[in-house]
Structures are given as structure tokens and as C-alpha cells.
Amino acid sequence: MALKKSQLYSSLWQSCDELRGGMDASQYKDYVLTLLFVKYVSDRRAGDPMAVLEVPEGGGFADIVRLKGTKHIGDGINRVISRLAEANELKGVIDQADFNDEAKLGAGKEMQDRLTKLVAIFEGLDFGGNRAGGDDLLGDAYEYLMVHFATQSGKSKGQFYTPSEVSRILARVVGTDAATNADQTVYDPTCGSGSLLLKAADEAPVKITVYGQEKDNATWALARMNLILHGHPTAELWQGNTLADPHFKGVDRGLRRFDFAVANPPFSDKAWTNGLDPENDEFGRFEYGVPPVRNGDYAFLLHLIRSLKSAGRGAMILPHGVLFRGNREADIRRNLLRGGLIEGVIGLPPNLFYGTGIPACIVVVDKKGAPDRKGVFIVDASGGYRKDGAKNRLREQDIHRIVDVFRTKAEIPGYARLVPLAEIASEENGYNLNIPRYVPPAESEDLHDLEAHLKGGIPDYDLDALRVWWKALPGLREALFAPFARAGYSRLQVEPHKVGDMIHEHVAFRSLVRHANEVFEVWRGEHEETLLGLGQGSKPESVLTDLSESLLLGFTGFPLMDPYDLYQRLRDYCDETMRDDLFLVAADGWVEAAQPRAPIRDKKGKLKETPELSVGRTKYKMDLLPPRLVISRYLAGEKAELDRLREAREAVSRLLEEFVEEHSAVADGEDGPLAAAVDEKGKVTQVAVRALLKALPNDPELAEDRRIVQQCVVRIKASTAAERAEKAAATTLSKAALDRYPSLTEAEIKELVVVEKWFAELRCEVQEEIERVAGLLADRVRMLEERYRRPLPKIEHDVDVLSAKVAGHLERMGLT
């Protein structure tokens, strides 16, 4: 059975545990990623003799496996990797990690054990069987590790990786999806580990040609492996300083020009002039001005601009300072704006990047439209993100919203605006591009009404501000509010705690819910047949993209609900459940993917996954088809009997608890007849009660106590019998469910998974989003009611009353 995506990732990260201690993440990533590369290449070659990379004799992962437990395993691994590198012209790329380094891996037996465990982890993974219909599972696994390495590498060493979410924005706004032939090119002058360059290339509908350069040798090697793992083995990547020694040159010895370019250069590089005389640059990169010696942000931007064809487009991640800093940078910014080269600026949230917490922006360059450009499109996307540990991360909805708005140039108050160049060039602004100057926050200050505080009533203008709600839910405002004694004010005519119920019960809201269900059913009808038709070799990521894009489109324009919020709910469900499900189906087919398996255990044998079904001491996990669905469809009678027995057990247990509580203490605080049998948790056992009964003297005066203890024994027996009956029924039900799985047909599995699992859960997500939206209105109404509920005269009157009561109490106590 193929691994789930999440399961594969977890296993790969577990491999890092074998290396921790001797080195930090910036070092052990080289070992793990190198073995990942060798295993991937070996598995692909085994399954496809025509694979691009050759696996020579003595140069495959099987040769590494044979070294497990041997004294010279480190040196042996180096030799295997060296043979693979020589056969594929990858010397200096995949052989950079020294597996025989005693300083990092330990000496003798320590190295032997550590590397043996590391190899064993990779040996247990079948990478070849997990590439599902073009979806790049291994490339994604590589990226998963890169994220973790970047997170743990610390401030100074995590800059080799551009977060995937940011990379996707650059890839889409730069427009590689408009590429039409393989001769078109994409370039990254500071490509790092290649993540940004890959995203830009993968957005193209055709296989465009990929170029990149990276200064750091180890990071360049990561990029080469990354491109190969992602299906770009012919990408041309070079190691070297892009500013001082650009590799890609044209026939005239000038810089080579590209159709598209993306980059995430080091922020504010203070050593950018090393090996370079910018005043006499042979490539003419600084025609718009020479950047300051101690800040290289504009140096990289000017290099990118010079590297674009006359109709080329580029996008670069830069710190916000490039938008407003003065002196030389102000001159360059003014010249670029006058030349129409800057198409747009996208402000990003803070703390997105590894290695720095400062906020950044994306500067989008478009040479084709430069001569006629009359404005700059500015987006303030700084508020859309979620917390992820110590970092912030863009959500799927944030990425989609940014790209949609930028591409359509849709102006949204507080979010995006096309700013005329004349306004930017005005005396007031002086070519300053600081985003808040042009895109101020949309939310207005929530003002208090002094007269309402003095005389009561809710201001009508506060209610008018909710007009979008009243328009979508006609009649609701009149149902909630009535005119106040003074014109221009209203009063809430239901109890505040009943506002939510009033909204849910109102005919307009019920109509809205029905409308949402209708839209959902239309969307479901468009995709159900496709999902039922999936099988081995299908393309999970394409399916998920179609589903989410269609849902976003279907709910666009729906009253009150932000379609991007609903889109995010679907994407979250995909990440948590549906993506793994689809990959299992694509790898194994419906029947095999639905079968139970043993939960994953850690190195110590403890369960890392929560089992969903147990029969005796054997535990099972059902990844694709949860047992609750099988039980609900085929074992409803047995489930009803179990529920009945559970309710009976709970009733008997309740009676026992009440009986023990009643007779373990008496009203005057003395111990009751059962007190001695009660443990620290307030529970009694049959053993303790029988011991108590045996210890009671056969005294007529203690007859009542003996009767109570005997009755407690009877109740404990009844409770124990009820527990046994419930447990037996649960075991019977679990076994019946487990026995049902092998006999399920493919059609039955499809129906349960697609209809009862996926669509049922997504329908719940739509309902919850509507509930959340209704809750926002209820909260606002209750807040306004609370704000003006007690006007100042009422408060003063209450103070006077309370003061009089206090004075009266003091007087009766003889105090004045």
C-alpha cells in the first residue's frame, strides 16, 4: 500500500532525528537531501529504464543498503554517490556531503549505527510507487524538508529557501502562465535552492527553459538536485556571484535577456560591490542610477531589469525600504517610475521569510507596457496571514486574493488601488511609494454617540452601517429593532441573548441557507461524476485545483459570505484529509486504498497515530474509508444495540454514583456507611465494598448500614455487568466492521468516500461558514445594545441608590 503524503513527510523528517546532535540543521540537510535524491533516482530508474538519469553499477541505493552495519559504511556511501555523480555529470553537486566525516557523524560504532539507521529509514520508502499521474510527490517531499531545515537553521542560515506561498504569488503575477512555447525562458539571478524558480517554471503550460545562478556553492547544489527532483533535469544553473560575474551573457558580451525573471535576493546586501565597479559596469545595469555602497537592494533589481527582453516581465522580493528610502535610492526609484518600468507593488505580511522578520514587498516590472504606463497598481496584503509557530504564513485564500486582484487590477478600498503616476510624482509624495500613503486602512473608527450615552437608544447610523446585512436579509432589521423615543435612534426589541436565535429563525436567513445549499448542490453535481471516476494514475493536485476553483467561482457574489473564506475551508480540508485520500487512490486504486492497516509506531514502538478500530489487542487505521461510514451503512442495527447498551451502562453508573455520594457522608459531616470504601477519586470498587461488608459487626444497631453496603454490592455488580455487555457489543461491532472491508466493492467504496465522506464534510463547511457569518451580525448587535443599554442618568441613579444603601448600613453600625 502506498504511503500517504503526510506519512511520507513524517518518515523523512524522522530521518533527521538520526543526525541531530552532531550538527545543526543547515548541515544535516545536506545528508538527508542527498540520500533522498539517490533513493529517488534509483527507484525511478528501476521503474523506467528510459529515465533521464543513469544509475551505474555500484552507484544505486541498493548498493548503499548493502553497506548497512559495516565498519566502513561512511566511506562506502561516499563511493556509491561518487559513481552516480560521475555517470550523470553531477560531480560537485550530489557529492558535497561527506558521509565519512567523524566530526559530524561520530567515529567508529557511533557512525556505523547512525548511518545504518538513516539508510534503513529510506529503505522502507518506495518513492517510485508514489508518483501519481504527474503530481510531484517527491519534489513536494523535498520542499517539505527544505521548509523544516529553513525553520531550524536559524536567522543567519535559513535564507536558501523562499516560502512556497510567496513563490507562487511571484510566479503568477510575473505571468509565466502566458508562455506559449519551449523557447521562452525564465531566469532567477539569485536562485537559492531553486524553489522560486521552480514555481515560476511550473506555472507555464509548456516546458519553458530554465536558467539560474547562485552564489553559495552548497545552496547551488541543493538547487540542482531540487530541479531534477521536480522534473527539470536540463535546467541550466550556475554557481557564482551574479552581480560581480554574471554567467549568462549574450552574443555581444552583454547580459543575456530573458522573457521572465523572478528573484529573492539577500535583503540590503552590504557587500554587493565586491568584485564590481558599478560606476563603470560593462553590462550597463546602472543606467537609472548607482545604488548606495552599503545597500544592494536596487543593484539586484536593476540587474533583473537589464536581464529582461524588451517585452519581458519580472518580479522581485525586496524590503519595504526600497519604496521610500531617499538619496541615491530615491533617484533610482524616480527614474524607474518615470520610465514606466514598475507595474505594481504588493505589500506582504511581516515575518514570512526565514532569516529575517522584517516585512517585504514584491516589485513587479513590465517592460512591454512601460512607455504607456500611467500608474502603479499597489496592493496592501499585509493583514492576510496565519500564525505558524514563530513565523507567519500566507493562507491559500490570501494567495488567491492577491493574484486575482493584481491580475484584474480590481480596486478595493483598504486593499488595492491603481495610483496615477501624477499622484506619485506630486510635490506631496515626491515619488515615495510607501504603501499606506496610497492604500489607507478601509475600516473606519468605531465612534461612540455621546447623546445615546446620555439619553439611551442605538444610533440609526450605526445600524445603517450594517446595510449589507439588511439588504441580504430583508425584514430582519425591522424584526430586531423598533423606533426609540427620539428620532434617529432605535431600540432592540428582543433580549440580547436571543438575538442569535432571532437571526437563525428569520425567514430571510432560512432562505439564504437554502440558497447556499442549492449553490453547493450545483457545485457537487458538477464534480461528483469526476470524483467517482478517479482511479490509479489520476492527478490529485489537478482534481483539488478544479474543485477549489469551481467552488470559489460558484460562491462569488453570494450575499454576505466572502468566497475566499469558503475557498480556504475547502483547501484546509484538502490539506487535512482529501489530498492524502486522492493520492492513495491514485497510487493503489479504491479497493486497496480502503483496506485497514496497522497504525504507524515510533522508534520505541509507541503509536504515532490514533487507531480508529480495535479488535482485541490488534489496532487498525482506515485512511480512506473511516469505520463509522461502514458501520452507519451496513451495521446500523448493531450500532443501535451498542448505543442502547451504552445508555444503559451510563444510567446504571449514574445511579451507582448517586448512591455512593448519598451514603458516603451524612448531613452533619460525619462519615456515612460507604465512606471507608471510597477512594481519592470518589469511586468505589467491588473489592473495597465487600471488604467493608465483611468488616461490619453483625450488630442490630448496624443493620441499616449493612443493608446499604449490601445494596451497593448489588449496584456495583449491575454496573460491571452493563460495562461487560457494552464492551462485548463494541468488540462484536468492531469485528463485524473489520470483516466487512474485504467484501466491499469498488462501487460501494466510491459511494461511501465521495458522497458520505468528502461531500458530507464539505457541506458541513458551507453550513459552518454561514453560521460564522450570522454570528458576526449577532455579535455586532449585542455590542451596540450593551454600549448604550444604560445611559448616564440611569448609571447616576443606580450610584445614588447604592450610595444611600451604604450610608444606611454605616449608620446602623454607628458610623458616620
Side-chain angles (χ1 to χ4, degrees), residues 537-560:
S538 57
K539 298 181 178 181
E541 292 298 346
S542 297
V543 172
L544 294 177
T545 298
D546 290 344
L547 283 171
S548 52
E549 293 297 323
S550 176
L551 186 70
L552 178 66
L553 182 63
F555 278 91
T556 296
F558 192 90
L560 301 182

Side-chain angles (χ1 to χ4, degrees), residues 351-657:
N351 202 26
L352 289 179
F353 297 92
Y354 305 99
T356 179
I358 66 173
C361 64
I362 299 172
V363 176
V364 184
V365 174
D366 180 13
K367 280 191 173 182
K368 182 179 180 180
D372 302 318
R373 184 157 289 117
K374 303 299 183 184
V376 176
F377 192 72
I378 297 179
V379 179
D380 181 6
S382 60
Y385 62 91
R386 65 177 174 86
K387 295 293 294 181
D388 184 17
K391 307 299 292 182
N392 296 330
R393 291 191 66 177
L394 294 166
R395 300 164 296 180
E396 290 292 331
Q397 70 181 91
D398 303 319
I399 299 168
H400 212 303
R401 193 191 305 270
I402 291 170
V403 174
D404 288 350
V405 167
F406 192 87
R407 284 183 163 182
T408 61
K409 301 298 185 289
E411 298 195 62
I412 301 173
Y415 188 77
R417 180 178 168 228
L418 181 59
V419 184
L421 280 174
E423 181 179 343
I424 296 172
S426 68
E427 184 176 350
E428 178 183 359
N429 292 317
Y431 292 95
N432 187 317
L433 280 177
N434 199 17
I435 293 174
R437 284 177 177 255
Y438 309 105
V439 187
E443 293 185 4
S444 58
E445 186 179 356
D446 192 7
L447 301 176
H448 285 243
D449 187 290
L450 182 58
E451 187 174 352
H453 278 301
L454 291 172
K455 299 180 181 179
I458 299 173
D460 283 348
Y461 65 77
D462 274 328
L463 301 182
D464 293 341
L466 301 172
R467 61 180 59 86
V468 65
W469 298 88
W470 313 135
K471 181 180 179 181
L473 302 170
L476 180 59
R477 178 174 180 173
E478 291 74 17
L480 289 170
F481 298 97
F484 192 61
R486 292 175 296 108
Y489 295 84
S490 298
R491 63 177 177 83
L492 184 66
Q493 56 183 355
V494 298
E495 293 295 325
H497 68 275
K498 294 182 179 179
V499 170
D501 293 338
M502 169 70 80
I503 294 173
H504 284 85
E505 294 168 5
H506 196 271
V507 61
F509 183 77
R510 291 183 177 180
S511 176
L512 187 74
V513 172
R514 285 194 299 272
H515 180 29
N517 288 332
E518 290 167 358
V519 174
F520 177 84
E521 289 302 321
V522 170
W523 172 78
R524 168 184 160 171
E526 293 172 350
H527 297 281
E528 185 170 332
E529 185 175 346
T530 299
L531 292 177
L532 290 171
L534 295 177
Q536 284 182 289
S538 57
K539 298 181 178 181
E541 292 298 346
S542 297
V543 172
L544 294 177
T545 298
D546 290 344
L547 283 171
S548 52
E549 293 297 323
S550 176
L551 186 70
L552 178 66
L553 182 63
F555 278 91
T556 296
F558 192 90
L560 301 182
M561 284 204 305
D562 184 339
Y564 290 100
D565 288 337
L566 195 56
Y567 172 85
Q568 183 64 45
R569 284 180 174 269
L570 187 150
R571 298 302 301 192
D572 287 343
Y573 181 65
C574 290
D575 292 339
E576 294 165 4
T577 302
M578 200 168 176
R579 178 176 283 105
D580 275 340
D581 288 350
L582 288 171
F583 268 90
L584 288 175
V585 171
D588 292 335
W590 290 93
V591 175
E592 178 64 21
Q595 299 310 307
R597 64 169 177 81
I600 293 177
R601 297 176 181 270
D602 62 19
K603 292 183 293 183
K604 297 180 180 179
K606 293 183 178 180
L607 287 173
K608 295 175 67 176
E609 295 181 294
T610 303
E612 294 175 291
L613 193 145
S614 299
V615 177
R617 294 185 177 182
T618 309
K619 304 180 185 302
Y620 298 92
K621 184 79 175 172
M622 287 73 166
D623 297 308
L624 181 64
L625 181 55
R628 60 179 176 81
L629 297 180
V630 174
I631 291 170
S632 176
R633 173 67 64 89
Y634 301 106
L635 302 167
E638 292 87 338
K639 180 62 166 59
E641 175 63 12
L642 175 60
D643 291 341
R644 185 190 68 78
L645 291 172
R646 180 173 291 119
E647 291 175 3
R649 189 263 305 161
E650 290 173 351
V652 172
S653 297
R654 252 190 330 268
L655 290 173
L656 175 60
E657 290 173 5

Side-chain angles (χ1 to χ4, degrees), residues 742-761:
S743 64
L744 291 172
T745 66
E746 181 173 306
E748 289 174 315
I749 294 170
K750 288 180 177 180
E751 175 73 14
L752 288 170
V753 174
V754 174
V755 178
E756 302 298 329
K757 182 182 179 182
W758 294 343
F759 281 131
E761 180 61 35

